[in-house]
Amino acid sequence: MSSSRVLVLNSGSSSVKYQLLDMSDSSRLAMGLVERIGEETSRLKHTPLTGGGAERERTGPIADHEAALKAVADELAADGLGLDSPELAAIGHRVVHGGKHFTEPTVIDDAVLAEIERLIPVAPLHNPANLTGIRTAQALRPDLPQVAVFDTAFHTTMPEAAARYAIDVSTADEHRVRRYGFHGTSHAYVSRATAKLLGKAPEDVNVIVLHLGNGASASAVRGGRCVDTSMGLTPLEGLVMGTRSGDLDPAVIFHLARVGGLSIDEIDTLLNKKSGLVGLCGDNDMREIRRRIDEGDSSALLAFDIYIHRLKKYIGAYYAVLGRVDAIAFTAGVGENAAPVREAAVAGLEELGLAVDGGLNAVRSDEPRLISPEYARVKVAVVPTDEELEIATQTYALAGKNS
Ligand code: AMP
């Protein structure tokens, strides 16, 4: 029997997102999410995507990741897609931080696990959860290849000029302080898909990718290789996000500690969870913010303006970094859906060859598409991201065909 299925796992500290794909035709067989792991009110939402079954949901305590993955396995088995099936070729894991070491997807062995563990100090929230997910999946199917696909890998091509902070080199190196970048799987997928949309090879195209979801990042991609990105040591740097501040003067942190009396942990929480759009206006959902703006809400409008101002600064910066830009691609929840954000981000940049066609921008679609007018020198694209498909593709390319 041919093995062409890949399970993609994205393990967070209290959640697991999963998709089962068939790589013979890149179709999705099932997807779902386990939330609030470790609480009384855990929830599993499972969506079968073949056979016409309806979405299923169950709530009740799921103690840990092991129990979560077992529950997922039960749901899949109920659809005839059990994880014990010989058709399952490999499991692909999203791993947030691969440091400098992991420049591409990697088959997981003990040495790889040890290196992901060694990176915990630079990714204290994410890597432990990713490790738990991997170990749980290994226990469930010890015979199966497991592949780590790193959020940072696409950005390891950044030159030192972009990757280094201008701080004392030995201190930086001792503590591995440098710019790593995140959302790499999405930036890789979207930059390639944008080249395809333009009918060109990735090597021939310079693209600015704007991944605007609840987390948000920009990247400058020259000929298929990342040369700069807006997230840094952690996903806090760069654009204004749903709950993260993005760029700020680092002295704000000293000030809040010395003058405001906040602890380091409180400042961490403030900047990561209570800032960005939610800190500015109380909402982090762009739909809600646009609704409030339409009702004349001034704090929602200010939040929107700050969000757009930062976005524009990055478009300009990456335009300068690349020298020649062929396309700007919008992706993720906001980038794919919020036409007013795309319009405002590009407004006034005609001198740079950038423009958005109002009619094309208003069209809703799940397909990659151009929204710039014919005459625009730089194409503006909307390219839905698909991180799970990218993880599955990379996993299958590495491990699937040998199994
Ligand atoms: P993501 O992290 O990529 O799932 O993006 C989530 C965010 O996308 C949400 O917080 C919303 O701000 C935004 N979003 C999702 N759907 C829409 C929509 N139809 N219009 C505007 N923003 C949206």
Side-chain angles (χ1 to χ4, degrees):
M1 184 175 296
S2 74
S3 308
S4 57
R5 289 181 193 158
V6 172
L7 177 69
V8 175
L9 289 178
N10 182 352
S11 306
S13 55
S14 64
S15 69
V16 177
K17 288 190 204 138
Y18 62 93
Q19 283 194 12
L20 184 68
L21 295 96
D22 185 339
M23 298 316 291
S24 62
D25 58 0
S26 299
S27 64
R28 253 162 268 255
L29 303 173
M31 60 190 286
L33 164 73
V34 189
E35 291 176 296
R36 299 194 289 270
I37 296 171
E39 295 179 31
E40 288 300 307
T41 58
S42 313
R43 186 170 76 123
L44 189 157
K45 206 162 111 180
H46 177 83
T47 311
L49 299 168
T50 53
E55 184 176 290
R56 303 193 289 274
E57 195 172 313
R58 57 164 144 141
T59 48
I62 295 179
D64 51 26
H65 280 74
E66 194 182 337
L69 200 55
K70 289 214 170 101
V72 170
D74 288 347
E75 292 296 336
L76 288 167
D79 294 336
L81 300 168
L83 296 186
D84 50 359
S85 161
E87 287 179 65
L88 186 62
I91 300 181
H93 297 266
R94 176 184 182 218
V95 178
V96 168
H97 216 309
K100 272 170 79 173
H101 186 82
F102 293 113
T103 57
E104 44 193 53
T106 307
V107 176
I108 298 168
D109 58 17
D110 287 347
V112 171
L113 281 174
E115 183 60 23
I116 297 171
E117 194 154 8
R118 222 162 63 85
L119 288 162
I120 287 177
V122 284
L125 296 179
H126 294 105
N127 276 26
N130 299 157
L131 276 169
T132 307
I134 294 170
R135 291 196 171 112
T136 310
Q138 282 181 325
L140 205 68
R141 281 296 304 268
D143 55 313
L144 214 58
Q146 315 249 345
V147 174
V149 179
F150 298 94
D151 251 22
T152 45
F154 183 61
H155 305 303
T156 54
T157 53
M158 273 196 290
E160 284 296 280
R164 278 209 177 262
Y165 293 109
I167 63 171
D168 173 67
V169 172
S170 58
T171 308
D173 287 350
E174 185 185 346
H175 299 291
R176 303 199 207 196
V177 174
R178 60 187 280 117
R179 308 190 57 257
Y180 295 99
F182 298 88
H183 292 146
T185 307
S186 176
H187 286 283
Y189 177 86
V190 170
S191 56
R192 274 206 319 275
T194 305
K196 192 170 166 205
L197 187 64
L198 300 185
K200 295 190 173 164
E203 302 78 54
D204 298 331
V205 175
N206 291 353
V207 191
I208 298 173
V209 178
L210 302 169
H211 177 111
L212 310 177
N214 200 29
S217 62
S219 69
V221 183
R222 175 182 291 130
R225 290 164 68 85
C226 176
V227 293
D228 205 350
T229 194
S230 60
M231 284 177 167
L233 174 74
T234 76
L236 182 55
E237 190 179 341
L239 300 174
V240 175
M241 312 184 207
T243 66
R244 297 182 206 133
S245 62
D247 295 336
L248 42 79
D249 179 348
V252 169
I253 296 164
F254 318 143
H255 180 82
L256 290 174
R258 292 189 187 123
V259 180
L262 275 71
S263 70
I264 289 294
D265 284 344
E266 284 169 335
I267 299 171
D268 191 330
T269 304
L270 176 82
L271 298 181
N272 274 297
K273 304 236 163 85
K274 299 182 185 169
S275 296
L277 293 170
V278 90
L280 290 165
C281 74
D283 272 309
N284 61 342
D285 193 313
M286 195 51 82
R287 286 163 287 202
E288 189 58 18
I289 290 171
R290 290 302 311 174
R291 194 191 60 71
R292 284 172 54 188
I293 292 171
D294 289 343
E295 286 177 355
D297 184 320
S298 59
S299 71
L301 181 60
L302 180 59
F304 184 82
D305 287 347
I306 294 169
Y307 183 95
I308 296 297
H309 182 76
R310 184 82 52 86
L311 198 51
K312 244 185 191 152
K313 282 192 358 185
Y314 271 92
I315 293 173
Y318 288 172
Y319 205 117
V321 164
L322 290 170
R324 186 203 87 219
V325 179
D326 298 297
I328 294 193
F330 286 91
T331 192
V334 175
E336 290 166 30
N337 296 299
V341 168
R342 299 191 295 253
E343 185 188 335
V346 172
L349 303 184
E350 292 81 6
E351 288 291 321
L352 298 179
L354 277 157
V356 160
D357 177 290
L360 294 174
N361 192 29
V363 174
R364 299 192 67 86
S365 162
D366 292 335
E367 295 299 316
R369 59 202 184 273
L370 293 179
I371 57 167
S372 43
E374 200 63 39
Y375 65 81
R377 195 158 37 83
V378 179
K379 304 299 171 204
V380 181
V382 180
V383 179
T385 192
D386 197 336
E387 291 166 276
E388 287 77 17
L389 177 60
E390 178 74 9
I391 292 172
T393 304
Q394 298 195 1
T395 298
Y396 194 59
L398 201 58
K401 289 174 187 141
N402 303 324
S403 65

